[in-house]
Amino acid sequence: MTENRAIDRQKKLIEILTLLHEGGQFETAKQMFDDSFKDVDVSEITSAERELIAGGLDPQEIQKLCTVHAAVFKGSIKDIHHSNYEHETPGHPIHTLKLENIVIRSLLRDELLPTFEKIVTGQLELQDKLVSTLKDLYQIDKHYTRKEMLIFSYMEKYGITAPPQVMWGVDDDIRDQIKTLISEFSSPKFIINQLREPLLTMIDDIEEMIFKEEEIMIPMILEVFSLEDWEEIAKNSYDIGFAFIPEPIAYKASESAKMASEAMEEKRQNAIKESIKFSESQKVSMEKEEKTVEDGSIKLPTGNLSVKELKAMFEVLPVDLTIVDANDKVRFYSEGPNRVFPRTTSVIGREVVNCHPPKSMHMVEKILRDFKSGESQEAEFWIDLGPRNVYIRYFALRDEEDNYLGCLEVTQDITRIKSLEGQKRLLDE
């Protein structure tokens, strides 16, 4: 495809998306697409969305209509053929994601919907079964969390910023829909006819997300991610967990895949360049710091500690620590057996704002802005996370000359602390 032809196609896609976002008719947009395109690459769609965001469109506005986008282009997205199908290997993150999607589809269509229809016909004794199925469906949280914390992280490193922002917002909407339906159907006074539309909407949204994952996101990242990226994502996936399926086998790239990867490296680099061409975010370095200090000690004003001692200390602290530098990039997080929020090494170097759901981004931005200006030095929140009470605090970090160094996030499960009564002295048995 010539450069001028590519530009013309891009302009037409932006015209179609702009029409949709300005309230134009779906049928008109669909006809414009059919008249101008036989098929379209995933990269062309996402580049057009990134161009709109770069032009000032709120990512949440794209989120509201991304299902419409998918409907306009569905059936016309060009299949992207790869020289090898390493991603079909058991244990590969894409293979795992697709396996989970198979179970999700079955849970929706073979379990949830039939049970609901039976309740509609008067079999109210199935209420508990329906609630149980919805609770089982909420395992989807791990499916989405792996995508958000791992896959989105690498997408952003390669300059692909718009799809993660849009998809994460929809993921959160789906989480909220499931929790709301669990609450509604758990009530002894639930009104079945009033819950049909919310249930069907949730099912449609989940199935549309599966389409976006498999037909838009996956083809895009298979062009961009390296084998080393996939190995790292697979390794870190165990820290978050899996949904609906047994823990997959460990993934290691095959020798044939490595050989094919070397032959495809030039194409991969071109795909990376294309992905960042229209990106609105700053370029994130793809180089990883490989050298770490294993020995020696760190001199502090009140004493010296070895790296091993520091590591051991962070692992037993009853709080989770995350440090963000002055440029709002995640620099460090503590590891422990019972972290409140999952973290993986792929978060290092990531924009901290992009580590949060779209609906809370503005709060994170405000906290950091106030810290930098000196308007505030700390912020605190407390939330209920299932049965746990969680206390979250943010502190501005400054040097002796009051220069801003970054932000420290301290997260603690305070459920047990809130239940303490009376006294327990050091010498008490």
Side-chain angles (χ1 to χ4, degrees):
M1 185 187 301
T2 65
E3 183 175 354
N4 288 339
R5 175 62 176 157
I7 292 173
D8 289 341
R9 287 170 64 90
Q10 182 77 2
K11 287 180 178 178
K12 178 57 70 172
L13 284 173
I14 291 174
E15 181 183 350
I16 293 170
L17 294 178
T18 300
L19 172 68
L20 290 170
H21 284 276
E22 291 179 349
Q25 293 296 315
F26 169 84
E27 292 77 11
T28 304
K30 181 66 174 172
Q31 189 61 51
M32 288 173 63
F33 177 80
D34 292 341
D35 290 344
S36 303
F37 297 91
K38 179 181 179 182
D39 51 33
V40 63
D41 279 329
V42 171
S43 60
E44 292 180 289
I45 300 172
T46 54
S47 290
E49 290 185 337
R50 290 199 297 272
E51 186 80 356
L52 290 173
I53 291 176
L57 184 65
D58 188 335
Q60 292 195 18
E61 289 302 311
I62 289 184
Q63 174 188 325
K64 292 176 183 177
L65 284 176
C66 63
T67 296
V68 180
H69 296 182
V72 169
F73 304 127
K74 187 181 291 186
S76 301
I77 296 177
K78 188 186 299 180
D79 290 333
I80 299 177
H81 299 287
H82 300 271
S83 61
N84 69 83
Y85 291 87
E86 182 72 9
H87 58 281
E88 296 179 0
T89 304
H92 190 288
I94 295 302
H95 183 270
T96 301
L97 184 144
K98 286 188 171 183
L99 276 182
E100 290 179 340
N101 280 340
I102 290 172
V103 181
I104 292 169
R105 287 191 187 98
S106 177
L107 195 60
L108 294 175
R109 293 295 171 180
D110 301 332
E111 185 75 18
L112 186 60
L113 197 54
T115 302
F116 175 78
E117 295 298 348
K118 289 177 182 178
I119 293 176
V120 171
T121 63
Q123 299 183 46
L124 300 181
E125 68 276 8
L126 295 176
Q127 178 184 0
D128 289 344
K129 180 181 179 181
L130 184 65
V131 172
S132 177
T133 303
L134 284 167
K135 289 180 178 179
D136 192 24
L137 179 62
Y138 198 74
Q139 289 185 60
I140 206 169
D141 176 57
K142 288 185 178 180
H143 177 93
Y144 290 159
T145 299
R146 285 203 326 278
K147 178 177 64 177
E148 293 155 359
M149 293 296 170
L150 298 174
I151 292 177
F152 286 0
S153 178
Y154 279 89
M155 290 174 76
E156 289 162 8
K157 286 182 180 180
Y158 288 116
I160 308 171
T161 56
Q165 290 178 5
V166 172
M167 294 178 76
W168 197 336
V170 177
D171 290 347
D172 275 348
D173 288 345
I174 291 171
R175 289 179 174 108
D176 290 341
Q177 288 171 318
I178 298 173
K179 287 189 286 188
T180 298
L181 285 169
I182 290 173
S183 176
E184 293 288 346
F185 278 111
S186 296
S187 170
K189 298 181 179 180
F190 76 92
I191 302 175
I192 192 70
N193 290 333
Q194 292 182 1
L195 296 177
R196 173 182 289 277
E197 185 174 346
L199 181 72
L200 295 180
T201 298
M202 179 203 70
I203 291 174
D204 287 344
D205 287 349
I206 293 174
E207 290 181 333
E208 282 293 340
M209 179 53 69
I210 291 173
F211 171 80
K212 291 162 194 163
E213 288 176 351
E214 298 190 355
E215 301 299 330
I216 296 177
M217 181 187 77
I218 289 176
M220 181 196 315
I221 59 181
L222 285 175
E223 290 288 316
V224 172
F225 289 9
S226 68
L227 288 179
E228 291 76 14
D229 294 335
W230 288 120
E231 288 180 338
E232 191 71 15
I233 290 170
K235 182 179 70 174
N236 287 327
S237 292
Y238 294 96
D239 294 333
I240 296 172
F242 304 91
F244 311 107
I245 63 172
E247 189 173 280
I249 62 174
Y251 167 71
K252 193 73 176 175
S254 64
E255 290 302 318
S256 60
K258 292 177 181 178
M259 292 177 62
S261 177
E262 291 176 4
M264 296 288 289
E265 182 59 21
E266 183 177 352
K267 181 179 179 181
R268 190 179 81 88
Q269 291 300 326
N270 289 334
I272 293 170
K273 291 177 183 178
E274 179 63 24
S275 74
I276 64 175
K277 186 176 180 180
F278 297 100
S279 177
E280 73 285 0
S281 66
Q282 294 181 341
K283 292 182 180 179
V284 178
S285 173
M286 291 163 50
E287 296 180 355
K288 294 183 178 179
E289 184 64 48
E290 296 181 350
K291 295 183 179 180
T292 58
V293 180
E294 296 292 344
D295 300 312
S297 63
I298 298 174
K299 186 176 181 180
L300 299 168
T302 55
N304 298 340
L305 288 172
S306 70
V307 173
K308 288 183 178 179
E309 289 169 334
L310 274 175
K311 183 174 181 293
M313 180 181 72
F314 285 129
E315 287 177 351
V316 299
L317 284 175
V319 296
D320 301 339
L321 305 179
T322 303
I323 293 179
V324 177
D325 67 18
N327 296 316
D328 302 337
K329 303 287 180 62
V330 179
R331 291 289 301 275
F332 169 84
Y333 68 89
S334 62
E335 293 184 289
N338 299 303
R339 281 198 63 93
V340 175
F341 299 112
R343 292 280 190 274
T344 66
T345 54
S346 63
V347 79
I348 303 301
R350 191 177 181 188
E351 293 276 356
V352 68
V353 171
N354 291 331
C355 297
H356 293 77
K359 62 185 177 183
S360 62
M361 282 181 174
H362 69 287
M363 287 300 301
V364 178
E365 290 172 340
K366 184 179 187 307
I367 290 171
L368 295 175
R369 188 167 58 248
D370 290 348
F371 281 1
K372 291 175 182 178
S373 68
E375 184 173 336
S376 64
Q377 301 300 321
E378 62 180 85
E380 61 179 359
F381 305 90
W382 47 95
I383 61 174
D384 292 329
L385 198 63
R388 296 190 292 177
N389 305 125
V390 178
Y391 186 32
I392 307 169
R393 289 175 287 175
Y394 298 89
F395 301 92
L397 302 178
R398 300 186 181 279
D399 63 16
E400 295 177 353
E401 298 178 353
D402 205 35
N403 296 311
Y404 179 70
L405 300 177
C407 168
L408 171 66
E409 178 192 83
V410 182
T411 303
Q412 185 174 13
D413 183 342
I414 59 171
T415 309
R416 181 176 177 276
I417 295 175
K418 290 183 68 176
S419 69
L420 295 178
E421 295 180 352
Q423 300 183 70
K424 181 179 181 181
R425 298 180 181 275
L426 185 62
L427 298 179
D428 290 347
E429 292 185 358

mmCIF file of all heavy atoms in Angstrom, residues 159-198:
data_model
loop_
_atom_site.group_PDB
_atom_site.id
_atom_site.type_symbol
_atom_site.label_atom_id
_atom_site.label_comp_id
_atom_site.label_asym_id
_atom_site.label_seq_id
_atom_site.Cartn_x
_atom_site.Cartn_y
_atom_site.Cartn_z
ATOM 1 N N GLY A 159 4.075 2.093 22.738
ATOM 2 C CA GLY A 159 3.382 3.266 22.228
ATOM 3 C C GLY A 159 1.924 3.055 21.898
ATOM 4 O O GLY A 159 1.272 3.941 21.356
ATOM 5 N N ILE A 160 1.372 1.879 22.216
ATOM 6 C CA ILE A 160 -0.039 1.599 21.927
ATOM 7 C C ILE A 160 -0.836 1.957 23.175
ATOM 8 O O ILE A 160 -0.995 1.142 24.079
ATOM 9 C CB ILE A 160 -0.246 0.118 21.556
ATOM 10 C CG1 ILE A 160 0.718 -0.294 20.444
ATOM 11 C CG2 ILE A 160 -1.683 -0.134 21.124
ATOM 12 C CD1 ILE A 160 0.727 -1.790 20.161
ATOM 13 N N THR A 161 -1.323 3.183 23.237
ATOM 14 C CA THR A 161 -1.927 3.680 24.473
ATOM 15 C C THR A 161 -3.447 3.771 24.440
ATOM 16 O O THR A 161 -4.096 3.641 25.475
ATOM 17 C CB THR A 161 -1.370 5.078 24.804
ATOM 18 O OG1 THR A 161 -1.609 5.939 23.690
ATOM 19 C CG2 THR A 161 0.124 5.014 25.078
ATOM 20 N N ALA A 162 -4.031 4.012 23.277
ATOM 21 C CA ALA A 162 -5.480 4.223 23.224
ATOM 22 C C ALA A 162 -6.286 2.960 23.533
ATOM 23 O O ALA A 162 -7.211 3.006 24.344
ATOM 24 C CB ALA A 162 -5.886 4.797 21.869
ATOM 25 N N PRO A 163 -5.985 1.806 22.901
ATOM 26 C CA PRO A 163 -6.786 0.608 23.200
ATOM 27 C C PRO A 163 -6.801 0.225 24.678
ATOM 28 O O PRO A 163 -7.871 -0.116 25.208
ATOM 29 C CB PRO A 163 -6.129 -0.473 22.331
ATOM 30 C CG PRO A 163 -5.515 0.278 21.200
ATOM 31 C CD PRO A 163 -5.016 1.550 21.817
ATOM 32 N N PRO A 164 -5.660 0.267 25.390
ATOM 33 C CA PRO A 164 -5.729 -0.061 26.821
ATOM 34 C C PRO A 164 -6.653 0.861 27.601
ATOM 35 O O PRO A 164 -7.410 0.409 28.467
ATOM 36 C CB PRO A 164 -4.267 0.094 27.284
ATOM 37 C CG PRO A 164 -3.458 -0.183 26.069
ATOM 38 C CD PRO A 164 -4.249 0.411 24.938
ATOM 39 N N GLN A 165 -6.604 2.165 27.317
ATOM 40 C CA GLN A 165 -7.465 3.104 28.034
ATOM 41 C C GLN A 165 -8.936 2.771 27.801
ATOM 42 O O GLN A 165 -9.751 2.786 28.727
ATOM 43 C CB GLN A 165 -7.175 4.536 27.579
ATOM 44 C CG GLN A 165 -5.823 5.065 28.029
ATOM 45 C CD GLN A 165 -5.564 6.476 27.515
ATOM 46 O OE1 GLN A 165 -6.420 7.089 26.903
ATOM 47 N NE2 GLN A 165 -4.372 6.979 27.760
ATOM 48 N N VAL A 166 -9.267 2.475 26.555
ATOM 49 C CA VAL A 166 -10.659 2.193 26.212
ATOM 50 C C VAL A 166 -11.115 0.872 26.820
ATOM 51 O O VAL A 166 -12.165 0.784 27.471
ATOM 52 C CB VAL A 166 -10.835 2.164 24.678
ATOM 53 C CG1 VAL A 166 -12.228 1.671 24.310
ATOM 54 C CG2 VAL A 166 -10.592 3.551 24.088
ATOM 55 N N MET A 167 -10.315 -0.176 26.637
ATOM 56 C CA MET A 167 -10.727 -1.509 27.074
ATOM 57 C C MET A 167 -10.785 -1.610 28.589
ATOM 58 O O MET A 167 -11.660 -2.294 29.139
ATOM 59 C CB MET A 167 -9.782 -2.563 26.499
ATOM 60 C CG MET A 167 -9.852 -2.675 24.983
ATOM 61 S SD MET A 167 -8.686 -3.883 24.304
ATOM 62 C CE MET A 167 -9.516 -5.409 24.704
ATOM 63 N N TRP A 168 -9.866 -0.956 29.284
ATOM 64 C CA TRP A 168 -9.872 -1.019 30.743
ATOM 65 C C TRP A 168 -11.168 -0.419 31.289
ATOM 66 O O TRP A 168 -11.765 -0.930 32.240
ATOM 67 C CB TRP A 168 -8.660 -0.289 31.314
ATOM 68 C CG TRP A 168 -8.348 -0.636 32.744
ATOM 69 C CD1 TRP A 168 -9.200 -1.115 33.694
ATOM 70 C CD2 TRP A 168 -7.074 -0.534 33.387
ATOM 71 N NE1 TRP A 168 -8.552 -1.310 34.889
ATOM 72 C CE2 TRP A 168 -7.244 -0.955 34.724
ATOM 73 C CE3 TRP A 168 -5.818 -0.114 32.963
ATOM 74 C CZ2 TRP A 168 -6.192 -0.967 35.638
ATOM 75 C CZ3 TRP A 168 -4.775 -0.128 33.877
ATOM 76 C CH2 TRP A 168 -4.958 -0.555 35.195
ATOM 77 N N GLY A 169 -11.605 0.671 30.685
ATOM 78 C CA GLY A 169 -12.856 1.277 31.124
ATOM 79 C C GLY A 169 -14.033 0.334 30.962
ATOM 80 O O GLY A 169 -14.905 0.245 31.838
ATOM 81 N N VAL A 170 -14.068 -0.395 29.843
ATOM 82 C CA VAL A 170 -15.151 -1.356 29.618
ATOM 83 C C VAL A 170 -15.034 -2.526 30.595
ATOM 84 O O VAL A 170 -16.039 -3.021 31.118
ATOM 85 C CB VAL A 170 -15.136 -1.857 28.161
ATOM 86 C CG1 VAL A 170 -16.229 -2.910 27.949
ATOM 87 C CG2 VAL A 170 -15.342 -0.697 27.190
ATOM 88 N N ASP A 171 -13.805 -2.980 30.845
ATOM 89 C CA ASP A 171 -13.595 -4.046 31.832
ATOM 90 C C ASP A 171 -14.214 -3.664 33.176
ATOM 91 O O ASP A 171 -14.890 -4.474 33.825
ATOM 92 C CB ASP A 171 -12.099 -4.309 32.040
ATOM 93 C CG ASP A 171 -11.435 -4.968 30.848
ATOM 94 O OD1 ASP A 171 -12.156 -5.450 29.956
ATOM 95 O OD2 ASP A 171 -10.189 -4.995 30.810
ATOM 96 N N ASP A 172 -13.962 -2.433 33.603
ATOM 97 C CA ASP A 172 -14.496 -1.979 34.892
ATOM 98 C C ASP A 172 -16.021 -1.929 34.876
ATOM 99 O O ASP A 172 -16.675 -2.258 35.875
ATOM 100 C CB ASP A 172 -13.934 -0.598 35.241
ATOM 101 C CG ASP A 172 -12.577 -0.683 35.921
ATOM 102 O OD1 ASP A 172 -12.187 -1.795 36.313
ATOM 103 O OD2 ASP A 172 -11.913 0.353 36.056
ATOM 104 N N ASP A 173 -16.576 -1.504 33.745
ATOM 105 C CA ASP A 173 -18.042 -1.492 33.627
ATOM 106 C C ASP A 173 -18.606 -2.902 33.800
ATOM 107 O O ASP A 173 -19.626 -3.106 34.479
ATOM 108 C CB ASP A 173 -18.464 -0.934 32.266
ATOM 109 C CG ASP A 173 -18.246 0.570 32.159
ATOM 110 O OD1 ASP A 173 -18.047 1.214 33.206
ATOM 111 O OD2 ASP A 173 -18.271 1.088 31.022
ATOM 112 N N ILE A 174 -17.949 -3.876 33.189
ATOM 113 C CA ILE A 174 -18.415 -5.264 33.277
ATOM 114 C C ILE A 174 -18.302 -5.772 34.710
ATOM 115 O O ILE A 174 -19.212 -6.440 35.222
ATOM 116 C CB ILE A 174 -17.618 -6.157 32.306
ATOM 117 C CG1 ILE A 174 -17.991 -5.809 30.854
ATOM 118 C CG2 ILE A 174 -17.876 -7.641 32.582
ATOM 119 C CD1 ILE A 174 -17.114 -6.464 29.810
ATOM 120 N N ARG A 175 -17.196 -5.461 35.365
ATOM 121 C CA ARG A 175 -17.051 -5.856 36.773
ATOM 122 C C ARG A 175 -18.220 -5.307 37.603
ATOM 123 O O ARG A 175 -18.810 -6.014 38.427
ATOM 124 C CB ARG A 175 -15.733 -5.325 37.331
ATOM 125 C CG ARG A 175 -14.468 -6.012 36.810
ATOM 126 C CD ARG A 175 -13.255 -5.361 37.449
ATOM 127 N NE ARG A 175 -12.008 -6.019 37.147
ATOM 128 C CZ ARG A 175 -11.075 -5.527 36.333
ATOM 129 N NH1 ARG A 175 -11.270 -4.371 35.723
ATOM 130 N NH2 ARG A 175 -9.945 -6.181 36.123
ATOM 131 N N ASP A 176 -18.519 -4.019 37.391
ATOM 132 C CA ASP A 176 -19.606 -3.387 38.149
ATOM 133 C C ASP A 176 -20.956 -4.029 37.827
ATOM 134 O O ASP A 176 -21.797 -4.212 38.717
ATOM 135 C CB ASP A 176 -19.659 -1.887 37.847
ATOM 136 C CG ASP A 176 -18.480 -1.124 38.433
ATOM 137 O OD1 ASP A 176 -17.826 -1.665 39.352
ATOM 138 O OD2 ASP A 176 -18.208 0.004 37.976
ATOM 139 N N GLN A 177 -21.162 -4.366 36.558
ATOM 140 C CA GLN A 177 -22.425 -4.999 36.164
ATOM 141 C C GLN A 177 -22.609 -6.340 36.867
ATOM 142 O O GLN A 177 -23.705 -6.657 37.353
ATOM 143 C CB GLN A 177 -22.456 -5.202 34.643
ATOM 144 C CG GLN A 177 -22.639 -3.916 33.850
ATOM 145 C CD GLN A 177 -22.451 -4.145 32.356
ATOM 146 O OE1 GLN A 177 -21.544 -4.850 31.931
ATOM 147 N NE2 GLN A 177 -23.308 -3.556 31.555
ATOM 148 N N ILE A 178 -21.553 -7.134 36.916
ATOM 149 C CA ILE A 178 -21.652 -8.449 37.565
ATOM 150 C C ILE A 178 -21.953 -8.283 39.049
ATOM 151 O O ILE A 178 -22.837 -8.957 39.603
ATOM 152 C CB ILE A 178 -20.355 -9.259 37.366
ATOM 153 C CG1 ILE A 178 -20.115 -9.533 35.877
ATOM 154 C CG2 ILE A 178 -20.438 -10.589 38.132
ATOM 155 C CD1 ILE A 178 -18.777 -10.191 35.585
ATOM 156 N N LYS A 179 -21.237 -7.372 39.712
ATOM 157 C CA LYS A 179 -21.457 -7.170 41.146
ATOM 158 C C LYS A 179 -22.875 -6.674 41.430
ATOM 159 O O LYS A 179 -23.509 -7.098 42.408
ATOM 160 C CB LYS A 179 -20.413 -6.185 41.695
ATOM 161 C CG LYS A 179 -19.018 -6.783 41.799
ATOM 162 C CD LYS A 179 -18.050 -5.892 42.543
ATOM 163 C CE LYS A 179 -17.619 -4.712 41.725
ATOM 164 N NZ LYS A 179 -16.524 -3.937 42.381
ATOM 165 N N THR A 180 -23.373 -5.794 40.575
ATOM 166 C CA THR A 180 -24.734 -5.288 40.757
ATOM 167 C C THR A 180 -25.758 -6.404 40.603
ATOM 168 O O THR A 180 -26.707 -6.516 41.396
ATOM 169 C CB THR A 180 -25.029 -4.166 39.743
ATOM 170 O OG1 THR A 180 -24.133 -3.077 39.974
ATOM 171 C CG2 THR A 180 -26.467 -3.667 39.883
ATOM 172 N N LEU A 181 -25.569 -7.253 39.602
ATOM 173 C CA LEU A 181 -26.513 -8.352 39.380
ATOM 174 C C LEU A 181 -26.453 -9.374 40.513
ATOM 175 O O LEU A 181 -27.481 -9.933 40.908
ATOM 176 C CB LEU A 181 -26.221 -9.024 38.036
ATOM 177 C CG LEU A 181 -26.666 -8.220 36.804
ATOM 178 C CD1 LEU A 181 -26.109 -8.834 35.530
ATOM 179 C CD2 LEU A 181 -28.190 -8.145 36.731
ATOM 180 N N ILE A 182 -25.269 -9.626 41.047
ATOM 181 C CA ILE A 182 -25.162 -10.525 42.206
ATOM 182 C C ILE A 182 -25.989 -9.974 43.365
ATOM 183 O O ILE A 182 -26.747 -10.697 44.022
ATOM 184 C CB ILE A 182 -23.691 -10.702 42.628
ATOM 185 C CG1 ILE A 182 -22.928 -11.522 41.581
ATOM 186 C CG2 ILE A 182 -23.594 -11.383 44.001
ATOM 187 C CD1 ILE A 182 -21.433 -11.596 41.832
ATOM 188 N N SER A 183 -25.856 -8.673 43.603
ATOM 189 C CA SER A 183 -26.603 -8.041 44.692
ATOM 190 C C SER A 183 -28.106 -8.092 44.442
ATOM 191 O O SER A 183 -28.891 -8.422 45.344
ATOM 192 C CB SER A 183 -26.142 -6.583 44.845
ATOM 193 O OG SER A 183 -26.905 -5.912 45.821
ATOM 194 N N GLU A 184 -28.516 -7.781 43.213
ATOM 195 C CA GLU A 184 -29.945 -7.746 42.892
ATOM 196 C C GLU A 184 -30.583 -9.127 42.993
ATOM 197 O O GLU A 184 -31.666 -9.299 43.568
ATOM 198 C CB GLU A 184 -30.151 -7.176 41.484
ATOM 199 C CG GLU A 184 -29.782 -5.713 41.332
ATOM 200 C CD GLU A 184 -30.769 -4.782 42.012
ATOM 201 O OE1 GLU A 184 -31.869 -5.240 42.374
ATOM 202 O OE2 GLU A 184 -30.432 -3.598 42.192
ATOM 203 N N PHE A 185 -29.920 -10.128 42.425
ATOM 204 C CA PHE A 185 -30.495 -11.476 42.432
ATOM 205 C C PHE A 185 -30.395 -12.142 43.807
ATOM 206 O O PHE A 185 -31.079 -13.138 44.059
ATOM 207 C CB PHE A 185 -29.813 -12.350 41.378
ATOM 208 C CG PHE A 185 -30.352 -12.154 39.987
ATOM 209 C CD1 PHE A 185 -29.582 -11.557 39.009
ATOM 210 C CD2 PHE A 185 -31.637 -12.556 39.657
ATOM 211 C CE1 PHE A 185 -30.069 -11.365 37.725
ATOM 212 C CE2 PHE A 185 -32.144 -12.375 38.379
ATOM 213 C CZ PHE A 185 -31.364 -11.774 37.410
ATOM 214 N N SER A 186 -29.551 -11.609 44.681
ATOM 215 C CA SER A 186 -29.444 -12.164 46.039
ATOM 216 C C SER A 186 -30.591 -11.702 46.928
ATOM 217 O O SER A 186 -30.838 -12.285 47.985
ATOM 218 C CB SER A 186 -28.106 -11.761 46.672
ATOM 219 O OG SER A 186 -27.020 -12.317 45.960
ATOM 220 N N SER A 187 -31.274 -10.650 46.503
ATOM 221 C CA SER A 187 -32.384 -10.126 47.297
ATOM 222 C C SER A 187 -33.598 -11.047 47.200
ATOM 223 O O SER A 187 -33.953 -11.502 46.108
ATOM 224 C CB SER A 187 -32.765 -8.727 46.804
ATOM 225 O OG SER A 187 -33.969 -8.299 47.413
ATOM 226 N N PRO A 188 -34.254 -11.317 48.319
ATOM 227 C CA PRO A 188 -35.466 -12.162 48.269
ATOM 228 C C PRO A 188 -36.623 -11.471 47.551
ATOM 229 O O PRO A 188 -37.609 -12.114 47.198
ATOM 230 C CB PRO A 188 -35.791 -12.391 49.749
ATOM 231 C CG PRO A 188 -35.141 -11.255 50.473
ATOM 232 C CD PRO A 188 -33.913 -10.922 49.696
ATOM 233 N N LYS A 189 -36.486 -10.166 47.319
ATOM 234 C CA LYS A 189 -37.567 -9.408 46.684
ATOM 235 C C LYS A 189 -37.200 -8.982 45.257
ATOM 236 O O LYS A 189 -37.717 -7.992 44.748
ATOM 237 C CB LYS A 189 -37.900 -8.175 47.521
ATOM 238 C CG LYS A 189 -38.408 -8.503 48.926
ATOM 239 C CD LYS A 189 -38.739 -7.243 49.698
ATOM 240 C CE LYS A 189 -39.260 -7.567 51.095
ATOM 241 N NZ LYS A 189 -39.582 -6.329 51.863
ATOM 242 N N PHE A 190 -36.289 -9.718 44.629
ATOM 243 C CA PHE A 190 -35.884 -9.318 43.277
ATOM 244 C C PHE A 190 -37.068 -9.428 42.314
ATOM 245 O O PHE A 190 -37.931 -10.299 42.449
ATOM 246 C CB PHE A 190 -34.707 -10.160 42.788
ATOM 247 C CG PHE A 190 -35.061 -11.558 42.361
ATOM 248 C CD1 PHE A 190 -35.368 -11.845 41.038
ATOM 249 C CD2 PHE A 190 -35.074 -12.600 43.283
ATOM 250 C CE1 PHE A 190 -35.682 -13.132 40.638
ATOM 251 C CE2 PHE A 190 -35.387 -13.896 42.890
ATOM 252 C CZ PHE A 190 -35.695 -14.159 41.563
ATOM 253 N N ILE A 191 -37.086 -8.506 41.349
ATOM 254 C CA ILE A 191 -38.154 -8.483 40.343
ATOM 255 C C ILE A 191 -37.547 -8.931 39.019
ATOM 256 O O ILE A 191 -36.763 -8.208 38.398
ATOM 257 C CB ILE A 191 -38.769 -7.073 40.222
ATOM 258 C CG1 ILE A 191 -39.312 -6.623 41.584
ATOM 259 C CG2 ILE A 191 -39.876 -7.057 39.171
ATOM 260 C CD1 ILE A 191 -39.828 -5.200 41.599
ATOM 261 N N ILE A 192 -37.907 -10.115 38.593
ATOM 262 C CA ILE A 192 -37.234 -10.766 37.476
ATOM 263 C C ILE A 192 -37.312 -9.956 36.189
ATOM 264 O O ILE A 192 -36.331 -9.837 35.450
ATOM 265 C CB ILE A 192 -37.801 -12.196 37.269
ATOM 266 C CG1 ILE A 192 -36.908 -12.984 36.312
ATOM 267 C CG2 ILE A 192 -39.237 -12.141 36.776
ATOM 268 C CD1 ILE A 192 -35.580 -13.349 36.874
ATOM 269 N N ASN A 193 -38.465 -9.362 35.902
ATOM 270 C CA ASN A 193 -38.621 -8.644 34.637
ATOM 271 C C ASN A 193 -37.748 -7.399 34.564
ATOM 272 O O ASN A 193 -37.347 -6.976 33.482
ATOM 273 C CB ASN A 193 -40.089 -8.267 34.424
ATOM 274 C CG ASN A 193 -40.954 -9.484 34.145
ATOM 275 O OD1 ASN A 193 -40.466 -10.489 33.635
ATOM 276 N ND2 ASN A 193 -42.235 -9.407 34.487
ATOM 277 N N GLN A 194 -37.460 -6.806 35.713
ATOM 278 C CA GLN A 194 -36.623 -5.605 35.734
ATOM 279 C C GLN A 194 -35.140 -5.930 35.559
ATOM 280 O O GLN A 194 -34.340 -5.037 35.289
ATOM 281 C CB GLN A 194 -36.835 -4.841 37.044
ATOM 282 C CG GLN A 194 -38.218 -4.229 37.184
ATOM 283 C CD GLN A 194 -38.372 -3.445 38.473
ATOM 284 O OE1 GLN A 194 -37.443 -3.337 39.273
ATOM 285 N NE2 GLN A 194 -39.561 -2.889 38.683
ATOM 286 N N LEU A 195 -34.796 -7.202 35.714
ATOM 287 C CA LEU A 195 -33.387 -7.588 35.638
ATOM 288 C C LEU A 195 -33.011 -8.215 34.299
ATOM 289 O O LEU A 195 -31.846 -8.497 34.051
ATOM 290 C CB LEU A 195 -33.055 -8.561 36.774
ATOM 291 C CG LEU A 195 -33.180 -7.969 38.183
ATOM 292 C CD1 LEU A 195 -32.913 -9.030 39.240
ATOM 293 C CD2 LEU A 195 -32.214 -6.800 38.364
ATOM 294 N N ARG A 196 -34.007 -8.438 33.445
ATOM 295 C CA ARG A 196 -33.707 -9.043 32.146
ATOM 296 C C ARG A 196 -32.764 -8.158 31.325
ATOM 297 O O ARG A 196 -31.736 -8.627 30.818
ATOM 298 C CB ARG A 196 -34.991 -9.301 31.363
ATOM 299 C CG ARG A 196 -34.725 -9.786 29.926
ATOM 300 C CD ARG A 196 -36.008 -9.982 29.152
ATOM 301 N NE ARG A 196 -36.745 -11.141 29.628
ATOM 302 C CZ ARG A 196 -36.491 -12.384 29.243
ATOM 303 N NH1 ARG A 196 -35.515 -12.629 28.381
ATOM 304 N NH2 ARG A 196 -37.200 -13.387 29.713
ATOM 305 N N GLU A 197 -33.107 -6.891 31.192
ATOM 306 C CA GLU A 197 -32.290 -6.001 30.357
ATOM 307 C C GLU A 197 -30.871 -5.840 30.897
ATOM 308 O O GLU A 197 -29.905 -5.944 30.125
ATOM 309 C CB GLU A 197 -32.965 -4.637 30.215
ATOM 310 C CG GLU A 197 -32.210 -3.709 29.264
ATOM 311 C CD GLU A 197 -32.943 -2.402 29.013
ATOM 312 O OE1 GLU A 197 -34.146 -2.315 29.353
ATOM 313 O OE2 GLU A 197 -32.317 -1.475 28.481
ATOM 314 N N PRO A 198 -30.684 -5.596 32.216
ATOM 315 C CA PRO A 198 -29.306 -5.512 32.729
ATOM 316 C C PRO A 198 -28.507 -6.792 32.507
ATOM 317 O O PRO A 198 -27.315 -6.737 32.190
ATOM 318 C CB PRO A 198 -29.509 -5.239 34.224
ATOM 319 C CG PRO A 198 -30.844 -4.602 34.323
ATOM 320 C CD PRO A 198 -31.673 -5.248 33.255
#
